[in-house]
Amino acid sequence: MNQESSARPGVGMKDVAREAGVSLGTVSNVLNRPELVAGPTRARVLAAIGSLGYVRTEGARQLHGWSARVLAVLVPDLAHPFFTALATGVEQAAREADLGVMVCTGTRDVAEEARHLSLITSHRIRGAVLTSGEAVGRTAAAFRRNAVPFVVADRCDPQPGACSVGIDDVAGGHAAVRHLIDQGHRSIAYVSGPDLQQVRDRRRGAVSAVTQAGLQLTALRELACADLTVGAGKDAGHRLLGLPHRPTAIFCADDLLALGVLQALYEAGLKVPEDLAVVGYDDIEFAASAVVPLTSVRRPAVAMGRQAGRLLVEETARGAGHDHTHVVLQPELVVRRSTLAVPAR
């Protein structure tokens, strides 16, 4: 009996092999023993799997057939504390339902997404929490095509036929810049990140705070970063120090960016907040323990993951009787030393 099939009628392992230009045995190794296949070849096979929509027969079941007591959570990078906290929340919800969790990383890569989908379908994972940034639409379509239940986390734009749990990042960006304006700042830098909806929403909030305060849009200057990392933030800090008319405050789209900015300012001999005030975003654990405790916009990552996990558990228990829910959580500004000067004694 043929044990392999796909979501598209007639697509099998031979089609994947032909598409990738490899042998049938290579495709089998990628699916079952990927460590035996060279990286470039493995990526080519996974890309073919994704483009053809291929999955194994044992995974291509309708909702009632997904019996494994495991949920999956897909995140871009567990090295980022926010996604670690979100995955922790999903794990808490799974534990409440006596389920386990499989964490998949690298979800901004098409080939990796195809591999995750193959693993999830072949092992009959009960469902997945998706947090894959701009790729979430493509990922959701693939999961929907293969009848894998899913909940979207960290997005406020609902996907058709799925629950979602997001955070109002427009409100978060507004709160951060409103706080700086209230502290007397009239020239603010926005250190942004990759072209992600969350980063764009934080900028929208920052712009709304500036305009509502009656300031010109030139009061907010943007420094773009390719990544949400400490290194990218440090580079942005050096660029900021080279500006002819340096702002007096900085709003960073991410705490890791803010920590990098703090490093650059420290190396330049500047004081925070006396010379430059700094606000971050996410309120990761390191924010409060920085050399200068960082004011940050707290996003309830654990709570979001837990709620997304609970919605997924509910959907997989009820099946067709489940009503899709879209939850938007509110961020909270946590004020610390990086924006408040110490009063003179």
Side-chain angles (χ1 to χ4, degrees), residues 163-178:
C163 293
S164 65
V165 184
I167 294 175
D168 189 346
D169 284 316
V170 175
H174 187 281
V177 172
R178 180 75 246 185

Side-chain angles (χ1 to χ4, degrees), residues 137-174:
R138 180 185 64 226
T139 310
F143 275 62
R144 190 178 296 110
R145 187 169 61 243
N146 291 288
V148 181
F150 65 90
V151 171
V152 177
D154 198 24
R155 292 285 293 236
C156 287
D157 51 333
Q159 291 291 317
C163 293
S164 65
V165 184
I167 294 175
D168 189 346
D169 284 316
V170 175
H174 187 281

Side-chain angles (χ1 to χ4, degrees), residues 83-93 95 302 305-306:
F83 292 111
T84 304
L86 189 150
T88 297
V90 176
E91 193 277 332
Q92 290 176 358
R95 190 167 60 242
V302 174
R306 186 167 55 245

Side-chain angles (χ1 to χ4, degrees), residues 293-306:
L294 181 67
T295 293
S296 184
V297 177
R298 176 177 295 164
R299 294 204 295 161
V302 174
M304 180 169 62
R306 186 167 55 245

Side-chain angles (χ1 to χ4, degrees), residues 268-322:
L270 296 179
K271 295 181 179 180
V272 175
E274 291 82 359
D275 295 317
L276 279 160
V278 181
V279 177
Y281 208 97
D282 280 343
D283 195 33
I284 63 176
E285 182 179 356
F286 303 118
S289 58
V291 175
V292 179
L294 181 67
T295 293
S296 184
V297 177
R298 176 177 295 164
R299 294 204 295 161
V302 174
M304 180 169 62
R306 186 167 55 245
Q307 185 139 12
R310 286 172 175 169
L311 287 172
L312 183 59
V313 169
E314 179 182 322
E315 178 174 354
T316 56
R318 294 188 180 182
H322 174 76

Side-chain angles (χ1 to χ4, degrees), residues 185-209:
H185 297 284
R186 296 296 181 267
S187 179
I188 301 167
Y190 175 50
V191 178
S192 66
D195 187 27
L196 299 172
Q197 185 62 51
Q198 295 90 333
V199 175
R200 295 194 294 269
D201 284 348
R202 290 164 205 175
R203 184 184 185 280
R204 284 176 54 205
V207 169
S208 72

